[in-house]
Every structure is written in structure tokens, then in C-alpha cells.
Amino acid sequence: MIKEFIGTGKTVAEATVAAKTGLNAPALADINVEVVVMPAKGFLGFGKKDAKVKAWYDDGRKEEKPKQRKNAPAKRVEKKAEKKAQPKKEPVKKEAVKKAASQKAEASVEKAENSEVKITDADIDKNIAVGYLKNMLSGLKIEDAEISAAVVDGVLQMEISCDDYGIIIGRRGETLDSLQYLTSLAVKKSCDKYVRVTINVGNYREKRMDTLKNLAIKNANYVLRTGRRYTFEPMNPYERRIIHTTVQEIEGVESLSVGYGQDRKVVIQSVNGGRNRRSSSQNAAALKNAAHKADRADLPKFGKIEVKKD
């Protein structure tokens, strides 16, 4: 049975990575890629188009046709009578089903991350991970990349070195996260174990962490001054944990996650439900203390941060 997914992006390379990520195919599947729409820059803001790429593969299964049941007319009448007698069930909303599925997926990931079993060098063939990542980078037209891999505290940490790494990072790190996800699937397939994989290039992860901490402190100050809630853009679980960890050090505000799936985001709100009554000098002192703690916080580079906010 053919399974396919269409990804979009500013370039064909970004759309290809998005299509393969959305397809969620097995690591060793034979994935075919087709460019549906080529990107166009447009003129004076008109005619601009994003690239669209379709990725598909055949899982080898045959599509089953529904079997027709031959029921006697008398039985059909009895079944209709039973249906009328039974109370009507309330329709299940699609959004509720999607939310439940998303929460179940996040719970399974968190359970795997909390596993006490740590991976060692003997459990992973790092050459497979490096080779798989190099193949994806060559698909992005990056030929001069050097990749190093090492197992640190049960995490396979991979570092990419190249001259131009903007295309690897992508918009707000989306391409880098997609490469990391696909590589983790390949590693898991090769060793038949859950392996946490992190990929970094140009110290992007460290810079992104500092940016998120500063954003959390800045918008917490806004909430303290105005009493209004502030909602961040959708983030992945790792970035949401950084926001939660920084906000929990600031007195008078709290953070929570709303939404589900790729639309899940962090909200900062006042603990008192309104404008904070402390003076501006007290707010400044609290924020300064939070910034100091955030700088000295012993946050793991790419590990789980224990904050029960999601």
C-alpha cells in the first residue's frame, strides 16, 4: 500500500526534509521524492510561492477491501429495532481524539526518556548514524561536512562542521530538528533500542538556549507589569522545558503548556490572576535574581529537564 506526504518549505531541500519527516517512514524504507511545486521569489511581494515536495513509499501491504455481509431481511429488521431502542451515543469530536492521541504520543516519549537503561558505545554502531546523516546532508547539497559522534551519559551526541550551516539549521532550527529525528529513527532501527540522539552545528543549541532564557525573563517582566498573559509561538518539548525552568525561578508568575501536537506552546501568566502589586523595583530585583539563576542553572545540553508543567 502506498503511503505519501507532501511537505512545504522555502527551498526544495527544506520541503524534502519536511516531506520525509511527515511521512514517518521506517528507517530502511525506499522513499521516493517528487517535486510538486518549485519555489518562486515573486516580484514586489506578489507571486511568491513555497516549494512543495511529495515523498512516498510502498509498505508492501495489500489494501483490504471490506467484506460484504449477507444478512437475511428478518435479521436486518431486528438490528434496526435494536438500534432504535438503544440510547444515542454522543458524537466524539475529532479535536478530542487528536488531543488524546497527541498526549499519548508525548507520554510514550517521556516514558522512554525516563528509562534508567543507559546506552553505551557497545550498543551503538556510530558509523551507521554518521553515514545516514551524511547521506541526508548530501541531499541538501552539502558535501564538505565533517561529522563527529560520541556517546555521553547515554546520549548519542553528533556535531557537524562545515562552512555554510544555515541550510542545515533552517527556519528556527526546524531542519536541524528534522535531521535529528530521522537520524534517531535510523539508529533505533539498527540497534533495536531507544537511543536519544542530539545533533548540533555552529553551537546553535547553546545560542538557542540563551535566547529562550532571555525571552522567558523579558516576557515574565511584561506579565508582572501588566498582569496580562503572554503566549509564545509553538515550540518543541525541549524548548518548552527551557522556558518552564527559567520561569519557575521568577516569583509572581507561572507557566503552562497549551495546545497539542506541533501547535503546543507555552503561556506565562500572573500567579495572582491580575496585575502584580509589587513595586517596579521589587519586580526588577526578582527578574535580576531569576536571570542570575538561569545563567548558573545546571541545565543539560539536550537532556530532559524535570519540570512537570506539560
Side-chain angles (χ1 to χ4, degrees), residues 8 13-22 132-133 136 140 168-185 199 205 236 262:
T8 60
E14 290 185 8
T16 301
V17 174
K20 290 183 178 180
T21 303
Y132 186 83
L133 183 55
M136 288 195 292
L140 297 176
I168 299 178
I169 296 175
R171 179 178 176 271
R172 294 173 183 168
E174 292 178 355
T175 304
L176 184 61
D177 289 339
S178 299
L179 293 172
Q180 180 174 289
Y181 173 71
L182 293 173
T183 304
S184 67
L185 290 180
I199 301 177
R205 299 294 187 188
N236 58 47
Q262 295 181 349

PDB file of all heavy atoms in Angstrom, residues 8 13-22 132-133 136 140 168-185 199 205 236 262:
ATOM      1  N   THR A   8       6.187  21.260   2.667  1.00  0.00           N
ATOM      2  CA  THR A   8       6.416  22.580   2.100  1.00  0.00           C
ATOM      3  C   THR A   8       7.628  23.226   2.756  1.00  0.00           C
ATOM      4  O   THR A   8       7.994  22.896   3.885  1.00  0.00           O
ATOM      5  CB  THR A   8       5.190  23.490   2.277  1.00  0.00           C
ATOM      6  OG1 THR A   8       4.910  23.623   3.690  1.00  0.00           O
ATOM      7  CG2 THR A   8       3.979  22.911   1.589  1.00  0.00           C
ATOM      8  N   ALA A  13      15.051  21.794  -0.742  1.00  0.00           N
ATOM      9  CA  ALA A  13      15.698  20.977   0.288  1.00  0.00           C
ATOM     10  C   ALA A  13      14.877  20.963   1.576  1.00  0.00           C
ATOM     11  O   ALA A  13      14.664  19.908   2.186  1.00  0.00           O
ATOM     12  CB  ALA A  13      17.102  21.511   0.566  1.00  0.00           C
ATOM     13  N   GLU A  14      14.399  22.146   2.000  1.00  0.00           N
ATOM     14  CA  GLU A  14      13.589  22.204   3.227  1.00  0.00           C
ATOM     15  C   GLU A  14      12.275  21.453   3.035  1.00  0.00           C
ATOM     16  O   GLU A  14      11.808  20.761   3.945  1.00  0.00           O
ATOM     17  CB  GLU A  14      13.317  23.665   3.593  1.00  0.00           C
ATOM     18  CG  GLU A  14      14.544  24.420   4.078  1.00  0.00           C
ATOM     19  CD  GLU A  14      14.209  25.819   4.538  1.00  0.00           C
ATOM     20  OE1 GLU A  14      13.007  26.135   4.608  1.00  0.00           O
ATOM     21  OE2 GLU A  14      15.136  26.589   4.836  1.00  0.00           O
ATOM     22  N   ALA A  15      11.661  21.584   1.862  1.00  0.00           N
ATOM     23  CA  ALA A  15      10.412  20.871   1.607  1.00  0.00           C
ATOM     24  C   ALA A  15      10.639  19.364   1.593  1.00  0.00           C
ATOM     25  O   ALA A  15       9.792  18.596   2.056  1.00  0.00           O
ATOM     26  CB  ALA A  15       9.808  21.342   0.282  1.00  0.00           C
ATOM     27  N   THR A  16      11.792  18.929   1.086  1.00  0.00           N
ATOM     28  CA  THR A  16      12.099  17.492   1.060  1.00  0.00           C
ATOM     29  C   THR A  16      12.236  16.937   2.468  1.00  0.00           C
ATOM     30  O   THR A  16      11.697  15.869   2.790  1.00  0.00           O
ATOM     31  CB  THR A  16      13.406  17.259   0.276  1.00  0.00           C
ATOM     32  OG1 THR A  16      13.257  17.760  -1.056  1.00  0.00           O
ATOM     33  CG2 THR A  16      13.737  15.768   0.223  1.00  0.00           C
ATOM     34  N   VAL A  17      12.953  17.666   3.328  1.00  0.00           N
ATOM     35  CA  VAL A  17      13.111  17.217   4.724  1.00  0.00           C
ATOM     36  C   VAL A  17      11.763  17.190   5.425  1.00  0.00           C
ATOM     37  O   VAL A  17      11.443  16.262   6.176  1.00  0.00           O
ATOM     38  CB  VAL A  17      14.090  18.148   5.462  1.00  0.00           C
ATOM     39  CG1 VAL A  17      14.139  17.785   6.943  1.00  0.00           C
ATOM     40  CG2 VAL A  17      15.478  18.027   4.862  1.00  0.00           C
ATOM     41  N   ALA A  18      10.915  18.217   5.182  1.00  0.00           N
ATOM     42  CA  ALA A  18       9.589  18.264   5.805  1.00  0.00           C
ATOM     43  C   ALA A  18       8.717  17.111   5.324  1.00  0.00           C
ATOM     44  O   ALA A  18       7.969  16.511   6.108  1.00  0.00           O
ATOM     45  CB  ALA A  18       8.921  19.595   5.496  1.00  0.00           C
ATOM     46  N   ALA A  19       8.810  16.765   4.035  1.00  0.00           N
ATOM     47  CA  ALA A  19       8.010  15.666   3.497  1.00  0.00           C
ATOM     48  C   ALA A  19       8.440  14.330   4.098  1.00  0.00           C
ATOM     49  O   ALA A  19       7.604  13.510   4.485  1.00  0.00           O
ATOM     50  CB  ALA A  19       8.131  15.632   1.980  1.00  0.00           C
ATOM     51  N   LYS A  20       9.755  14.106   4.194  1.00  0.00           N
ATOM     52  CA  LYS A  20      10.236  12.847   4.768  1.00  0.00           C
ATOM     53  C   LYS A  20       9.898  12.748   6.249  1.00  0.00           C
ATOM     54  O   LYS A  20       9.589  11.671   6.753  1.00  0.00           O
ATOM     55  CB  LYS A  20      11.745  12.731   4.560  1.00  0.00           C
ATOM     56  CG  LYS A  20      12.150  12.514   3.108  1.00  0.00           C
ATOM     57  CD  LYS A  20      13.663  12.343   2.971  1.00  0.00           C
ATOM     58  CE  LYS A  20      14.070  12.087   1.531  1.00  0.00           C
ATOM     59  NZ  LYS A  20      15.538  11.927   1.391  1.00  0.00           N
ATOM     60  N   THR A  21       9.957  13.894   6.942  1.00  0.00           N
ATOM     61  CA  THR A  21       9.614  13.884   8.369  1.00  0.00           C
ATOM     62  C   THR A  21       8.140  13.565   8.566  1.00  0.00           C
ATOM     63  O   THR A  21       7.760  12.761   9.414  1.00  0.00           O
ATOM     64  CB  THR A  21       9.947  15.240   8.999  1.00  0.00           C
ATOM     65  OG1 THR A  21      11.330  15.525   8.797  1.00  0.00           O
ATOM     66  CG2 THR A  21       9.658  15.220  10.497  1.00  0.00           C
ATOM     67  N   GLY A  22       7.283  14.218   7.790  1.00  0.00           N
ATOM     68  CA  GLY A  22       5.844  13.967   7.906  1.00  0.00           C
ATOM     69  C   GLY A  22       5.451  12.571   7.476  1.00  0.00           C
ATOM     70  O   GLY A  22       4.476  12.016   7.973  1.00  0.00           O
ATOM     71  N   TYR A 132      24.324   7.687   7.728  1.00  0.00           N
ATOM     72  CA  TYR A 132      22.944   8.087   7.427  1.00  0.00           C
ATOM     73  C   TYR A 132      22.816   9.612   7.385  1.00  0.00           C
ATOM     74  O   TYR A 132      22.184  10.176   6.490  1.00  0.00           O
ATOM     75  CB  TYR A 132      22.004   7.509   8.485  1.00  0.00           C
ATOM     76  CG  TYR A 132      20.544   7.737   8.204  1.00  0.00           C
ATOM     77  CD1 TYR A 132      19.840   6.884   7.352  1.00  0.00           C
ATOM     78  CD2 TYR A 132      19.860   8.794   8.789  1.00  0.00           C
ATOM     79  CE1 TYR A 132      18.493   7.083   7.093  1.00  0.00           C
ATOM     80  CE2 TYR A 132      18.512   9.007   8.526  1.00  0.00           C
ATOM     81  CZ  TYR A 132      17.842   8.142   7.689  1.00  0.00           C
ATOM     82  OH  TYR A 132      16.513   8.348   7.430  1.00  0.00           O
ATOM     83  N   LEU A 133      23.452  10.292   8.352  1.00  0.00           N
ATOM     84  CA  LEU A 133      23.386  11.757   8.388  1.00  0.00           C
ATOM     85  C   LEU A 133      24.109  12.359   7.193  1.00  0.00           C
ATOM     86  O   LEU A 133      23.651  13.360   6.612  1.00  0.00           O
ATOM     87  CB  LEU A 133      23.985  12.263   9.698  1.00  0.00           C
ATOM     88  CG  LEU A 133      23.935  13.788   9.935  1.00  0.00           C
ATOM     89  CD1 LEU A 133      22.516  14.319   9.817  1.00  0.00           C
ATOM     90  CD2 LEU A 133      24.518  14.134  11.298  1.00  0.00           C
ATOM     91  N   MET A 136      21.884  12.319   4.137  1.00  0.00           N
ATOM     92  CA  MET A 136      20.869  13.379   4.146  1.00  0.00           C
ATOM     93  C   MET A 136      21.493  14.739   3.834  1.00  0.00           C
ATOM     94  O   MET A 136      20.894  15.564   3.134  1.00  0.00           O
ATOM     95  CB  MET A 136      20.154  13.410   5.508  1.00  0.00           C
ATOM     96  CG  MET A 136      19.227  12.241   5.730  1.00  0.00           C
ATOM     97  SD  MET A 136      18.084  12.498   7.115  1.00  0.00           S
ATOM     98  CE  MET A 136      19.233  12.471   8.481  1.00  0.00           C
ATOM     99  N   LEU A 140      21.016  17.671   0.712  1.00  0.00           N
ATOM    100  CA  LEU A 140      20.888  19.119   0.850  1.00  0.00           C
ATOM    101  C   LEU A 140      22.016  19.865   0.139  1.00  0.00           C
ATOM    102  O   LEU A 140      22.198  21.063   0.366  1.00  0.00           O
ATOM    103  CB  LEU A 140      20.889  19.498   2.344  1.00  0.00           C
ATOM    104  CG  LEU A 140      19.729  18.964   3.188  1.00  0.00           C
ATOM    105  CD1 LEU A 140      19.923  19.336   4.649  1.00  0.00           C
ATOM    106  CD2 LEU A 140      18.405  19.501   2.690  1.00  0.00           C
ATOM    107  N   ILE A 168      21.439  23.865   7.069  1.00  0.00           N
ATOM    108  CA  ILE A 168      21.272  22.733   7.989  1.00  0.00           C
ATOM    109  C   ILE A 168      20.358  23.115   9.148  1.00  0.00           C
ATOM    110  O   ILE A 168      19.525  22.323   9.590  1.00  0.00           O
ATOM    111  CB  ILE A 168      22.641  22.269   8.517  1.00  0.00           C
ATOM    112  CG1 ILE A 168      23.524  21.806   7.360  1.00  0.00           C
ATOM    113  CG2 ILE A 168      22.482  21.145   9.538  1.00  0.00           C
ATOM    114  CD1 ILE A 168      24.914  21.385   7.784  1.00  0.00           C
ATOM    115  N   ILE A 169      20.505  24.338   9.648  1.00  0.00           N
ATOM    116  CA  ILE A 169      19.675  24.780  10.779  1.00  0.00           C
ATOM    117  C   ILE A 169      18.240  25.031  10.325  1.00  0.00           C
ATOM    118  O   ILE A 169      17.293  24.576  10.957  1.00  0.00           O
ATOM    119  CB  ILE A 169      20.275  26.052  11.416  1.00  0.00           C
ATOM    120  CG1 ILE A 169      21.657  25.724  12.014  1.00  0.00           C
ATOM    121  CG2 ILE A 169      19.353  26.614  12.487  1.00  0.00           C
ATOM    122  CD1 ILE A 169      22.389  26.921  12.554  1.00  0.00           C
ATOM    123  N   GLY A 170      18.070  25.748   9.217  1.00  0.00           N
ATOM    124  CA  GLY A 170      16.732  26.034   8.720  1.00  0.00           C
ATOM    125  C   GLY A 170      16.036  27.110   9.536  1.00  0.00           C
ATOM    126  O   GLY A 170      16.621  27.749  10.412  1.00  0.00           O
ATOM    127  N   ARG A 171      14.765  27.292   9.278  1.00  0.00           N
ATOM    128  CA  ARG A 171      13.974  28.315   9.956  1.00  0.00           C
ATOM    129  C   ARG A 171      13.740  27.907  11.408  1.00  0.00           C
ATOM    130  O   ARG A 171      13.085  26.933  11.692  1.00  0.00           O
ATOM    131  CB  ARG A 171      12.637  28.519   9.238  1.00  0.00           C
ATOM    132  CG  ARG A 171      11.714  29.554   9.878  1.00  0.00           C
ATOM    133  CD  ARG A 171      10.451  29.704   9.058  1.00  0.00           C
ATOM    134  NE  ARG A 171       9.506  30.606   9.693  1.00  0.00           N
ATOM    135  CZ  ARG A 171       8.589  30.238  10.577  1.00  0.00           C
ATOM    136  NH1 ARG A 171       8.510  28.950  10.922  1.00  0.00           N
ATOM    137  NH2 ARG A 171       7.745  31.106  11.112  1.00  0.00           N
ATOM    138  N   ARG A 172      14.341  28.674  12.325  1.00  0.00           N
ATOM    139  CA  ARG A 172      14.203  28.432  13.764  1.00  0.00           C
ATOM    140  C   ARG A 172      14.573  26.998  14.135  1.00  0.00           C
ATOM    141  O   ARG A 172      13.985  26.392  15.033  1.00  0.00           O
ATOM    142  CB  ARG A 172      12.791  28.756  14.230  1.00  0.00           C
ATOM    143  CG  ARG A 172      12.443  30.220  14.115  1.00  0.00           C
ATOM    144  CD  ARG A 172      11.008  30.485  14.411  1.00  0.00           C
ATOM    145  NE  ARG A 172      10.669  31.897  14.237  1.00  0.00           N
ATOM    146  CZ  ARG A 172       9.436  32.385  14.209  1.00  0.00           C
ATOM    147  NH1 ARG A 172       8.415  31.558  14.351  1.00  0.00           N
ATOM    148  NH2 ARG A 172       9.211  33.669  14.048  1.00  0.00           N
ATOM    149  N   GLY A 173      15.539  26.440  13.425  1.00  0.00           N
ATOM    150  CA  GLY A 173      16.045  25.112  13.763  1.00  0.00           C
ATOM    151  C   GLY A 173      15.179  23.963  13.306  1.00  0.00           C
ATOM    152  O   GLY A 173      15.413  22.817  13.708  1.00  0.00           O
ATOM    153  N   GLU A 174      14.176  24.226  12.429  1.00  0.00           N
ATOM    154  CA  GLU A 174      13.263  23.156  12.037  1.00  0.00           C
ATOM    155  C   GLU A 174      13.980  22.074  11.225  1.00  0.00           C
ATOM    156  O   GLU A 174      13.731  20.880  11.408  1.00  0.00           O
ATOM    157  CB  GLU A 174      12.101  23.747  11.235  1.00  0.00           C
ATOM    158  CG  GLU A 174      11.165  24.623  12.060  1.00  0.00           C
ATOM    159  CD  GLU A 174      10.061  25.233  11.224  1.00  0.00           C
ATOM    160  OE1 GLU A 174      10.088  25.049   9.991  1.00  0.00           O
ATOM    161  OE2 GLU A 174       9.182  25.897  11.791  1.00  0.00           O
ATOM    162  N   THR A 175      14.862  22.485  10.304  1.00  0.00           N
ATOM    163  CA  THR A 175      15.583  21.495   9.501  1.00  0.00           C
ATOM    164  C   THR A 175      16.517  20.661  10.372  1.00  0.00           C
ATOM    165  O   THR A 175      16.605  19.437  10.223  1.00  0.00           O
ATOM    166  CB  THR A 175      16.389  22.190   8.390  1.00  0.00           C
ATOM    167  OG1 THR A 175      15.505  22.997   7.605  1.00  0.00           O
ATOM    168  CG2 THR A 175      17.068  21.178   7.499  1.00  0.00           C
ATOM    169  N   LEU A 176      17.211  21.306  11.306  1.00  0.00           N
ATOM    170  CA  LEU A 176      18.114  20.586  12.205  1.00  0.00           C
ATOM    171  C   LEU A 176      17.342  19.589  13.062  1.00  0.00           C
ATOM    172  O   LEU A 176      17.786  18.451  13.266  1.00  0.00           O
ATOM    173  CB  LEU A 176      18.865  21.581  13.093  1.00  0.00           C
ATOM    174  CG  LEU A 176      19.922  20.993  14.035  1.00  0.00           C
ATOM    175  CD1 LEU A 176      21.018  20.291  13.244  1.00  0.00           C
ATOM    176  CD2 LEU A 176      20.529  22.088  14.912  1.00  0.00           C
ATOM    177  N   ASP A 177      16.176  19.979  13.559  1.00  0.00           N
ATOM    178  CA  ASP A 177      15.356  19.067  14.359  1.00  0.00           C
ATOM    179  C   ASP A 177      14.877  17.881  13.519  1.00  0.00           C
ATOM    180  O   ASP A 177      14.794  16.754  14.016  1.00  0.00           O
ATOM    181  CB  ASP A 177      14.155  19.810  14.942  1.00  0.00           C
ATOM    182  CG  ASP A 177      14.550  20.791  16.033  1.00  0.00           C
ATOM    183  OD1 ASP A 177      15.636  20.630  16.616  1.00  0.00           O
ATOM    184  OD2 ASP A 177      13.777  21.733  16.302  1.00  0.00           O
ATOM    185  N   SER A 178      14.549  18.142  12.240  1.00  0.00           N
ATOM    186  CA  SER A 178      14.101  17.055  11.365  1.00  0.00           C
ATOM    187  C   SER A 178      15.234  16.070  11.099  1.00  0.00           C
ATOM    188  O   SER A 178      15.030  14.849  11.126  1.00  0.00           O
ATOM    189  CB  SER A 178      13.586  17.630  10.045  1.00  0.00           C
ATOM    190  OG  SER A 178      12.479  18.481  10.254  1.00  0.00           O
ATOM    191  N   LEU A 179      16.433  16.589  10.851  1.00  0.00           N
ATOM    192  CA  LEU A 179      17.589  15.710  10.656  1.00  0.00           C
ATOM    193  C   LEU A 179      17.857  14.872  11.905  1.00  0.00           C
ATOM    194  O   LEU A 179      18.184  13.681  11.832  1.00  0.00           O
ATOM    195  CB  LEU A 179      18.826  16.547  10.316  1.00  0.00           C
ATOM    196  CG  LEU A 179      18.811  17.283   8.967  1.00  0.00           C
ATOM    197  CD1 LEU A 179      20.011  18.206   8.868  1.00  0.00           C
ATOM    198  CD2 LEU A 179      18.811  16.295   7.817  1.00  0.00           C
ATOM    199  N   GLN A 180      17.710  15.498  13.067  1.00  0.00           N
ATOM    200  CA  GLN A 180      17.932  14.799  14.334  1.00  0.00           C
ATOM    201  C   GLN A 180      16.909  13.683  14.517  1.00  0.00           C
ATOM    202  O   GLN A 180      17.243  12.569  14.938  1.00  0.00           O
ATOM    203  CB  GLN A 180      17.850  15.815  15.471  1.00  0.00           C
ATOM    204  CG  GLN A 180      18.049  15.240  16.856  1.00  0.00           C
ATOM    205  CD  GLN A 180      18.104  16.320  17.915  1.00  0.00           C
ATOM    206  OE1 GLN A 180      19.058  17.068  18.003  1.00  0.00           O
ATOM    207  NE2 GLN A 180      17.052  16.427  18.700  1.00  0.00           N
ATOM    208  N   TYR A 181      15.645  13.971  14.187  1.00  0.00           N
ATOM    209  CA  TYR A 181      14.581  12.970  14.353  1.00  0.00           C
ATOM    210  C   TYR A 181      14.796  11.777  13.421  1.00  0.00           C
ATOM    211  O   TYR A 181      14.687  10.614  13.831  1.00  0.00           O
ATOM    212  CB  TYR A 181      13.230  13.620  14.079  1.00  0.00           C
ATOM    213  CG  TYR A 181      12.072  12.648  14.049  1.00  0.00           C
ATOM    214  CD1 TYR A 181      11.614  12.048  15.226  1.00  0.00           C
ATOM    215  CD2 TYR A 181      11.446  12.319  12.851  1.00  0.00           C
ATOM    216  CE1 TYR A 181      10.563  11.142  15.197  1.00  0.00           C
ATOM    217  CE2 TYR A 181      10.404  11.428  12.819  1.00  0.00           C
ATOM    218  CZ  TYR A 181       9.951  10.840  13.992  1.00  0.00           C
ATOM    219  OH  TYR A 181       8.921   9.944  13.955  1.00  0.00           O
ATOM    220  N   LEU A 182      15.101  12.050  12.145  1.00  0.00           N
ATOM    221  CA  LEU A 182      15.299  10.966  11.187  1.00  0.00           C
ATOM    222  C   LEU A 182      16.517  10.115  11.546  1.00  0.00           C
ATOM    223  O   LEU A 182      16.492   8.881  11.406  1.00  0.00           O
ATOM    224  CB  LEU A 182      15.457  11.544   9.783  1.00  0.00           C
ATOM    225  CG  LEU A 182      14.218  12.224   9.197  1.00  0.00           C
ATOM    226  CD1 LEU A 182      14.539  12.903   7.880  1.00  0.00           C
ATOM    227  CD2 LEU A 182      13.082  11.221   9.017  1.00  0.00           C
ATOM    228  N   THR A 183      17.583  10.762  12.024  1.00  0.00           N
ATOM    229  CA  THR A 183      18.773  10.013  12.420  1.00  0.00           C
ATOM    230  C   THR A 183      18.476   9.113  13.620  1.00  0.00           C
ATOM    231  O   THR A 183      18.949   7.970  13.697  1.00  0.00           O
ATOM    232  CB  THR A 183      19.924  10.970  12.762  1.00  0.00           C
ATOM    233  OG1 THR A 183      20.174  11.831  11.644  1.00  0.00           O
ATOM    234  CG2 THR A 183      21.192  10.210  13.091  1.00  0.00           C
ATOM    235  N   SER A 184      17.678   9.615  14.563  1.00  0.00           N
ATOM    236  CA  SER A 184      17.325   8.792  15.726  1.00  0.00           C
ATOM    237  C   SER A 184      16.526   7.557  15.311  1.00  0.00           C
ATOM    238  O   SER A 184      16.691   6.473  15.887  1.00  0.00           O
ATOM    239  CB  SER A 184      16.528   9.620  16.735  1.00  0.00           C
ATOM    240  OG  SER A 184      15.252   9.982  16.211  1.00  0.00           O
ATOM    241  N   LEU A 185      15.669   7.689  14.288  1.00  0.00           N
ATOM    242  CA  LEU A 185      14.917   6.524  13.796  1.00  0.00           C
ATOM    243  C   LEU A 185      15.864   5.492  13.186  1.00  0.00           C
ATOM    244  O   LEU A 185      15.699   4.283  13.391  1.00  0.00           O
ATOM    245  CB  LEU A 185      13.888   6.970  12.755  1.00  0.00           C
ATOM    246  CG  LEU A 185      12.689   7.788  13.246  1.00  0.00           C
ATOM    247  CD1 LEU A 185      11.775   8.135  12.077  1.00  0.00           C
ATOM    248  CD2 LEU A 185      11.905   7.042  14.318  1.00  0.00           C
ATOM    249  N   ILE A 199      21.874  16.486  17.587  1.00  0.00           N
ATOM    250  CA  ILE A 199      22.741  16.978  16.522  1.00  0.00           C
ATOM    251  C   ILE A 199      22.917  18.484  16.702  1.00  0.00           C
ATOM    252  O   ILE A 199      21.934  19.215  16.868  1.00  0.00           O
ATOM    253  CB  ILE A 199      22.157  16.667  15.130  1.00  0.00           C
ATOM    254  CG1 ILE A 199      21.970  15.158  14.964  1.00  0.00           C
ATOM    255  CG2 ILE A 199      23.049  17.214  14.031  1.00  0.00           C
ATOM    256  CD1 ILE A 199      21.337  14.756  13.651  1.00  0.00           C
ATOM    257  N   ARG A 205      22.599  25.044  19.390  1.00  0.00           N
ATOM    258  CA  ARG A 205      21.796  24.656  20.555  1.00  0.00           C
ATOM    259  C   ARG A 205      22.077  25.570  21.751  1.00  0.00           C
ATOM    260  O   ARG A 205      21.159  25.989  22.446  1.00  0.00           O
ATOM    261  CB  ARG A 205      22.115  23.203  20.930  1.00  0.00           C
ATOM    262  CG  ARG A 205      21.808  22.187  19.845  1.00  0.00           C
ATOM    263  CD  ARG A 205      20.343  22.083  19.547  1.00  0.00           C
ATOM    264  NE  ARG A 205      20.056  20.996  18.623  1.00  0.00           N
ATOM    265  CZ  ARG A 205      18.872  20.771  18.084  1.00  0.00           C
ATOM    266  NH1 ARG A 205      17.852  21.559  18.369  1.00  0.00           N
ATOM    267  NH2 ARG A 205      18.696  19.765  17.241  1.00  0.00           N
ATOM    268  N   ASN A 236       9.037  22.951  20.346  1.00  0.00           N
ATOM    269  CA  ASN A 236       9.187  21.524  20.605  1.00  0.00           C
ATOM    270  C   ASN A 236       9.336  21.298  22.112  1.00  0.00           C
ATOM    271  O   ASN A 236       9.557  22.243  22.869  1.00  0.00           O
ATOM    272  CB  ASN A 236      10.385  20.947  19.833  1.00  0.00           C
ATOM    273  CG  ASN A 236      11.697  21.648  20.189  1.00  0.00           C
ATOM    274  OD1 ASN A 236      12.004  21.856  21.354  1.00  0.00           O
ATOM    275  ND2 ASN A 236      12.481  21.996  19.181  1.00  0.00           N
ATOM    276  N   GLN A 262       2.071  19.703  17.113  1.00  0.00           N
ATOM    277  CA  GLN A 262       3.012  20.730  16.676  1.00  0.00           C
ATOM    278  C   GLN A 262       2.577  22.130  17.078  1.00  0.00           C
ATOM    279  O   GLN A 262       3.366  23.061  17.002  1.00  0.00           O
ATOM    280  CB  GLN A 262       3.184  20.661  15.151  1.00  0.00           C
ATOM    281  CG  GLN A 262       3.823  19.373  14.670  1.00  0.00           C
ATOM    282  CD  GLN A 262       4.008  19.346  13.167  1.00  0.00           C
ATOM    283  OE1 GLN A 262       3.489  20.203  12.457  1.00  0.00           O
ATOM    284  NE2 GLN A 262       4.758  18.371  12.682  1.00  0.00           N
TER     285      GLN A 262
END
